[in-house]
Amino acid sequence: MIKKEMIAMLLAGGQGSRLGVLTQNVAKPAVGFGGKYRIIDFPLSNCINSGVDTVGVLTQYQPLRLNTHIGIGIPWDLDRNIGGVSILPPYEKSTNAEWYTGTANAIYQNLRFMEYYNPEYVLVLGGDHIYKMDYEEMLAYHKRNNADITLATIPVPWEEASRFGVVITDDDMRITEFEEKPKNPRSNLASMGIYIFTWKVLKEALITLSEQEGCDFGKHIIPYCHNRGDRVFAYEFNGYWKDVGTLGSYWAANMELIDIVPIFDLYDEYWKIYTKSDMIRPQYIAGDAVINRAIIGEGTEVYGEVHNSVIGEGVTIEKGAVVRDSIIMKGSVIGAGTYVEKAIIAESVTVGAGCRIGVGEEKPNTWKPNIYHEGLVTVGEDSVIPDGVTIGKNTVIYGKTTAEEYPNGVLESGQSLVKAGDEE
Amino acid sequence: MKAIGIILAGGNSSRMQELTSRRAIAAMPVAGSYRAVDFALSNMTNSHIQKVAVLTQYSSRSLHEHLNSSKWWDFGRKQGGLYLFAPTITQENAFWYRGTADAIYQNKDFLQNSHEPYVVIASGDGIYKLDYNQVINAHIDTLADITVVTTELPEGVDNSRFGTVVTDEENRIVSFEEKPLQSSNRVVSTGIYVIRRRLLLELLEKSIKDNNYDFVSGVLTRYKNQKKICAYRMEGYWSNIATVEDYFRTNMDFLNRDIRDSFFKEYPDIYSKVDDLPPAKYNPTAVVKNSLIASGTIVNGVVENSVIFKKVYIGNNVTIKNSIILNDVQIRDGAYIENCIVESRGTIPEGARRVGEGEILIVDEKVDRY
C-alpha cells in the first residue's frame, strides 16, 4: 500500500440550520453555490489541489445529496485504487450505536479508518466555507515548527473579532491562549476550524477524551492538548475565506462573484474548483434577453432579463421575466413576466407566470426573524409558486403551494408559507 | 450486450479548409460544449453498447486528448470500454489505413476477440441522436445482412456529396449512388451500419484481398445484389460535418429551439469530457442576443446570433455577429467580427476587423501563449 503522509477528515454532517429551508432536505455542504458548485467542492478541491488524495467525508444530516454528489470522487480525481474519497456515516458497533455527537466524537468513531492508512498527519476540515487554501503549505509550516497541532487562523477586523474564537500567540506563533467570542479581544486571529494534527497526538487525545460527551475539537481536544503542553501553533492564512452560514452571508458571498474583478476568482487556472456537473451543454441567451452583470451556469436558457444575479445550471428564465439581485439554483424555472428581486430560489423550483416576488415594505419575519432577514425571499427546493401571486420581503416559501394559500394572491412581507411533509 | 461499436474517426476533408489542419473532423468542436465524436460515443453508451473502438488516423492528437479518459461517456469499464486504434506498423502490415474497410480490417483482432453477434459502425463526424438498438432490432426483424441507416436531407442541404439510396417497397436497397452529380433523390446514407460480426469479417477479408479498401464500394455496392442490404430510416436531426458550410450551419442550427431541445432537453443526454470551467460571466457592458455561450467565457461586449465556445474572453466594445468563436479565444477590446469562424486559442488584436464577405471567413491568429 502506498503510504499517505497526510489524510483529510472532512466534517460534513451538520445541518446548517441558519440557512433555513435551504437545508431542509440537504446538508449544508451540499447546498449549491456560485452558479454551478456546492459548498463542499471548495474543501474537496483544496484537498486534491494540495496533493491530499485520501479524504474521509463524515456525513450525518440528510446525506443523500452529498452521497450522490461525491459518488466515487471522479470530479476531484479522488477515485483511487488506494485512498481517494470515502463517505463515513455513523454506524452501529457491537456494543453500542450512536450518532456523531460532536466534531471530535465523529472523528473518534472513525479511528479505524485513520488507522488503516496510518498517516503521519491528519487534516481536519469543515465543509461549510468558501476559500482556496494550500494545505500542503500549512503542513510544511506544521513540520517546520515541529508542531503537534497547527490551527489555521485568519486575521479578522478587530471590531468583528468578538464574534470568533481567537488565538493569542507568542512571537513564534505558538499559541499561548484561546479566547472564545471575547468581549475585549486581545487578538484578531480567528480560528478557521481547520487543523493539522500529528496523527499520534490526535489518536491519543481522541482515545483519552472518548468518554467526553459531545467531544468537540474547539472545546475539548485542543484545550486538552494545549493544557498538557503540546506544541500548538497558529498558521496565518491571508486569502479569501467566507463563512456562508447565514442566508445573508450566503447571499452576499454569491453576489461578490459577479463583481467585474471578483475578490474570489473562480477563473484561476492554477487552483481550479471541481464539481460534479451533469450539465455540459452551453447556455442560450435569446434575442430579446437582457443580461447585466451576472454569472450563469451551463444549460440555462434566458428569454427574459437578468440583473446582478447568480444563475445556476439548467435554469429557464422565461420571456418578460425580470430577475434582480437574486440567486436562482439549478433547474428552476421563472415564469413569463414574473418579477423577482433579492430572492434565494433553491433547486428545481417552479415559479409561475406574472408573479411579483420580493416587493413591498420590509417587515421582520414573524416566524424565524433571526433566519429570514435582510429583506430576502427564500424559496426551498422543489417548491412551486402559482401564477400571479405577490410575495413580500423577509418571506419564506417551501413546498408545492397553490393559489388558495395566498390570501388575495398575496404573501405579505414577513410571512412564511412552509408546507412540511407534502410528499405525494 | 448484443453489439460492439466501431466509430470511424480517421477522416479528413479538404473542404473543411484550415479547420482540419489541426485536428480530425471527429474532434471538431460543436454546439458550444461538445466535439463531433461525442454524439456517436454518447449514442453508443446510451444504446448500452459498452465496447467501442474509435479508429483514428488523420491529425489524431486532439482527438486522443479528448478521449484520454473514457469515463465521461461511461466507458471506464473493466469489461469492454473504449479502445483507441491508430494505425500501427506490425510484422504483417506497414500501411496507414488505406480506407474505411482497411481501417476496420487492420483491427480485425478486435472483432475476432469479441463475442457480441452484431457490430454497429458509425462515423465520428455525424451530429445526431439515435438509439442503435432500434436499428439492430429492425435489422433482426427484416432478416437483413447489412442495415444502412438513411435519412432524408432537409431543404437547402446539397445532396451531391452524399451517397443516395433507393429502396424497394420492402426497404431493401436497390441502388446506391455515391456523390450524385444530378439527382433529386434526397434519401442518403448516414454512414451508420449494422452487420453481423462474422459476416463483417468475411466481407472485409474478401474486399481487402481484392485491394478494395473502402467500405462503401468494397462491401456495400459490391454485395448489393448477393446480400440483403436494408435501409433504416432515421427520424430527427442529422447533420454530417464535411465542409466549412456544413460546420457553420450545424453549429447555427443549435440556435433553433426545437433542434436545441431535441439534443439538450430530451432523453438521453449527450456527454463530453468535463472541463471544470466556471460559469459564464456577464459584465455590465455585455449585450447578448440569440447566442449560445459555453462555460468559462467572460463577456464584456456585444454578441449576436453566434456560438461562443468555452473559455472565450470577449473584451470591451467588441462586436461579434453571426460567428463561431472556438475554445479559448481572446478577443481584445474594440474588435469587430462578423461571419467568421475564429479558430481555437486565437487572439484577435485590439480594434481588429474580421468580416467574412459573402462567405465564412476562417480566422486563425495565433499568438504563442504559455
Side-chain angles (χ1 to χ4, degrees):
Chain A
M1 191 170 103
I2 299 165
K3 173 85 175 164
K4 307 286 180 182
E5 185 181 30
M6 180 162 78
I7 66 168
M9 300 296 274
L10 205 167
L11 296 156
Q15 178 182 1
S17 53
R18 288 176 303 157
L19 287 179
V21 290
L22 295 188
T23 54
Q24 185 96 8
N25 273 327
V26 295
K28 179 173 161 188
V31 170
F33 184 85
K36 74 180 283 186
Y37 305 98
R38 298 190 186 281
I39 296 170
I40 198 171
D41 292 336
F42 295 89
L44 274 181
S45 300
N46 287 340
C47 279
I48 197 68
N49 288 338
S50 305
V52 177
D53 68 2
T54 306
V55 184
V57 178
L58 293 93
T59 61
Q60 175 156 288
Y61 177 79
Q62 290 281 15
L64 178 64
R65 174 73 52 74
L66 264 181
N67 292 346
T68 50
H69 182 65
I70 294 170
I72 58 167
I74 288 177
W76 304 271
D77 246 340
L78 287 170
D79 50 328
R80 301 281 166 138
N81 277 338
I82 297 160
V85 67
S86 305
I87 306 253
L88 304 171
Y91 57 95
E92 193 179 340
K93 291 125 199 129
S94 60
T95 49
N96 72 330
E98 57 169 351
W99 294 102
Y100 295 153
T101 60
T103 52
N105 175 268
I107 305 280
Y108 170 70
Q109 291 197 41
N110 289 288
L111 210 54
R112 288 188 55 195
F113 174 80
M114 294 180 287
E115 277 169 348
Y116 173 75
Y117 289 105
N118 192 27
E120 299 294 322
Y121 307 98
V122 176
L123 170 68
V124 177
L125 300 170
D128 41 15
H129 286 92
I130 306 299
Y131 66 110
K132 294 180 185 177
M133 181 171 168
D134 190 344
Y135 305 132
E136 208 168 12
E137 212 176 89
M138 182 174 164
L139 176 63
Y141 178 86
H142 180 87
K143 288 195 269 189
R144 234 176 9 247
N145 287 322
N146 197 18
D148 296 308
I149 307 173
T150 301
L151 277 73
T153 60
I154 187 163
V156 295
W158 279 95
E159 58 273 21
E160 286 178 29
S162 57
R163 295 200 294 117
F164 294 90
V166 297
V167 299
I168 295 149
T169 65
D170 64 14
D171 293 344
D172 298 328
M173 292 300 276
R174 182 164 174 181
I175 296 175
T176 54
E177 246 177 285
F178 292 90
E179 284 188 327
E180 189 59 33
K181 298 188 178 150
K183 282 222 173 66
N184 300 306
R186 285 185 288 147
S187 157
N188 70 332
L189 276 185
S191 169
M192 299 163 69
I194 298 167
Y195 315 108
I196 288 178
F197 282 88
T198 298
W199 161 231
K200 287 197 185 93
V201 174
L202 176 65
K203 183 174 173 181
E204 196 278 324
L206 287 173
I207 292 170
T208 308
L209 296 185
S210 63
E211 297 301 315
Q212 171 68 47
E213 209 166 296
C215 192
D216 182 87
F217 279 103
K219 287 196 197 102
H220 306 114
I221 297 286
I222 294 182
Y224 163 79
C225 293
H226 179 246
N227 290 338
R228 71 173 182 190
D230 283 358
R231 292 172 65 80
V232 185
F233 281 77
Y235 171 77
E236 187 175 324
F237 174 72
N238 280 302
Y240 181 93
W241 179 73
K242 193 85 177 179
D243 173 64
V244 288
T246 65
L247 289 171
S249 63
Y250 172 82
W251 180 81
N254 272 279
M255 289 303 140
E256 280 172 5
L257 297 173
I258 58 176
D259 290 341
I260 295 182
V261 182
I263 41 175
F264 188 68
D265 186 8
L266 292 169
Y267 297 78
D268 180 1
E269 285 285 296
Y270 300 98
W271 203 269
K272 278 191 177 184
I273 303 300
Y274 306 98
T275 188
K276 175 180 158 73
S277 173
D278 315 322
M279 209 75 72
I280 291 164
R281 62 194 201 224
Q283 53 198 254
Y284 176 72
I285 312 298
D288 37 16
V290 175
I291 297 182
N292 180 12
R293 241 166 75 103
I295 58 173
I296 300 184
E298 275 105 327
T300 284
E301 308 228 325
V302 182
Y303 298 92
E305 295 187 20
V306 177
H307 304 270
N308 286 318
S309 295
V310 173
I311 311 292
E313 298 176 306
V315 169
T316 306
I317 294 171
E318 296 285 7
K319 211 168 174 162
V322 177
V323 175
R324 206 177 278 281
D325 304 327
S326 295
I327 300 164
I328 315 263
M329 294 189 223
K330 191 173 175 177
S332 288
V333 179
I334 308 298
T338 286
Y339 179 83
V340 180
E341 186 173 324
K342 214 174 169 190
I344 300 174
I345 296 184
E347 295 173 33
S348 308
V349 170
T350 306
V351 179
C355 297
R356 288 162 52 73
I357 296 176
V359 294
E361 231 180 290
E362 197 169 323
K363 286 182 202 157
N365 186 275
T366 53
W367 179 44
K368 290 178 176 172
N370 296 330
I371 290 178
Y372 303 105
H373 54 150
E374 299 195 26
L376 287 162
V377 178
T378 309
V379 184
E381 66 174 29
D382 296 316
S383 294
V384 174
I385 295 175
D387 290 350
V389 298
T390 299
I391 295 168
K393 292 173 175 160
N394 288 326
T395 47
V396 51
I397 292 154
Y398 181 69
K400 296 187 169 44
T401 62
T402 56
E404 296 80 61
E405 288 161 311
Y406 295 80
N408 304 317
V410 180
L411 185 74
E412 299 278 358
S413 285
Q415 298 300 304
S416 309
L417 182 49
V418 174
K419 297 169 79 178
D422 58 338
E423 282 102 57
E424 275 112 88
Chain B
M1 316 289 172
K2 274 192 293 206
I4 55 173
I6 291 177
I7 297 175
L8 300 165
N12 176 37
S13 162
S14 58
R15 280 177 298 184
M16 287 293 281
Q17 302 174 28
E18 307 87 302
L19 288 176
T20 49
S21 60
R22 260 194 246 170
R23 53 176 103 70
I25 293 180
M28 283 303 294
V30 174
S33 306
Y34 303 90
R35 301 274 180 165
V37 75
D38 290 336
F39 293 84
L41 276 177
S42 300
N43 287 329
M44 290 283 179
T45 196
N46 288 331
S47 305
H48 309 291
I49 296 172
Q50 297 188 339
K51 185 174 180 185
V52 175
V54 178
L55 308 186
T56 71
Q57 171 158 290
Y58 177 82
S59 277
S60 55
R61 192 206 52 82
S62 173
L63 186 60
H64 282 226
E65 195 176 298
H66 184 62
L67 302 177
N68 78 339
S69 172
S70 53
K71 58 176 78 159
W72 311 119
W73 302 269
D74 215 5
F75 283 122
R77 308 276 113 216
K78 209 170 140 193
Q79 307 288 336
L82 192 67
Y83 297 74
L84 273 178
F85 294 139
T88 170
I89 293 173
T90 62
Q91 289 275 308
E92 297 88 41
N93 174 51
F95 296 107
W96 291 89
Y97 296 153
R98 289 162 289 186
T100 45
D102 189 40
I104 301 172
Y105 191 71
Q106 283 196 29
N107 294 292
K108 63 178 189 292
D109 288 359
F110 174 74
L111 294 171
Q112 284 164 340
N113 296 341
S114 298
H115 54 80
E116 289 81 352
Y118 297 99
V119 182
V120 175
I121 301 172
S123 67
D125 52 10
I127 309 302
Y128 61 101
K129 249 183 179 180
L130 176 64
D131 181 354
Y132 297 131
N133 286 319
Q134 309 255 5
V135 188
I136 296 170
N137 289 342
H139 178 84
I140 294 167
D141 289 347
T142 53
L143 303 172
D145 291 308
I146 304 174
T147 298
V148 178
V149 178
T150 61
T151 190
E152 188 169 353
L153 289 178
E155 291 300 313
V157 178
D158 178 21
N159 70 346
S160 67
R161 59 178 189 79
F162 294 97
T164 58
V165 167
V166 179
T167 52
D168 66 12
E169 58 281 2
E170 276 161 356
N171 252 341
R172 185 165 173 177
I173 296 178
V174 292
S175 86
F176 285 104
E177 203 179 350
E178 262 308 288
K179 303 184 172 78
L181 286 176
Q182 271 201 321
S183 167
S184 56
N185 186 359
R186 303 199 57 81
V187 178
V188 300
S189 163
T190 61
I192 304 163
Y193 314 107
V194 169
I195 181 170
R196 278 194 88 87
R197 184 172 53 85
R198 288 188 184 174
L199 179 65
L200 175 64
L201 276 166
E202 180 193 320
L203 299 184
L204 286 174
E205 191 149 351
K206 287 179 185 157
S207 175
I208 301 298
K209 214 170 254 171
D210 296 345
N211 295 325
N212 192 333
Y213 304 115
D214 181 58
F215 188 81
V216 175
S217 63
V219 176
L220 292 184
T221 21
R222 184 166 143 152
Y223 290 99
K224 190 181 69 195
N225 300 324
Q226 287 142 283
K227 299 286 178 190
K228 188 176 177 187
I229 303 182
C230 290
Y232 173 94
R233 178 74 69 87
M234 149 182 183
E235 305 295 332
Y237 184 88
W238 177 82
S239 174
N240 166 273
I241 298 173
T243 68
V244 172
E245 292 69 38
D246 289 334
Y247 179 68
F248 190 81
R249 179 183 43 76
T250 302
N251 277 291
M252 289 300 174
D253 280 346
F254 280 81
L255 295 178
N256 174 318
R257 192 171 190 169
D258 292 337
I259 292 171
R260 194 168 64 241
D261 283 355
S262 74
F263 280 101
F264 295 166
K265 298 221 168 152
E266 284 165 24
Y267 179 86
D269 286 343
I270 304 295
Y271 315 102
S272 188
K273 182 177 176 168
V274 172
D275 272 334
D276 301 300
L277 293 166
K281 186 160 186 281
Y282 299 81
N283 287 329
T285 48
V287 177
V288 180
K289 304 281 178 203
N290 188 37
S291 296
L292 284 172
I293 313 275
S295 55
T297 284
I298 299 177
V299 188
N300 291 294
V302 177
V303 180
E304 281 175 25
N305 305 319
S306 295
V307 179
I308 312 295
F309 283 70
K310 297 179 199 174
K311 221 176 126 189
V312 173
Y313 175 81
I314 298 170
N316 290 309
N317 300 313
V318 165
T319 301
I320 298 169
K321 284 184 180 169
N322 197 39
S323 293
I324 293 172
I325 315 291
L326 298 185
N327 297 309
D328 198 9
V329 169
Q330 291 188 8
I331 300 172
R332 301 262 160 91
D333 295 355
Y336 183 92
I337 294 168
E338 189 172 353
N339 298 332
C340 289
I341 296 174
V342 179
E343 253 293 3
S344 309
R345 284 179 71 77
T347 303
I348 307 296
E350 239 173 80
R353 197 182 152 82
R354 304 283 180 269
V355 179
E357 309 281 0
E359 58 170 11
I360 303 304
L361 177 70
I362 297 170
V363 180
D364 189 358
E365 294 177 35
K366 290 251 273 189
V367 175
D368 277 335
R369 289 190 226 148
Y370 298 99

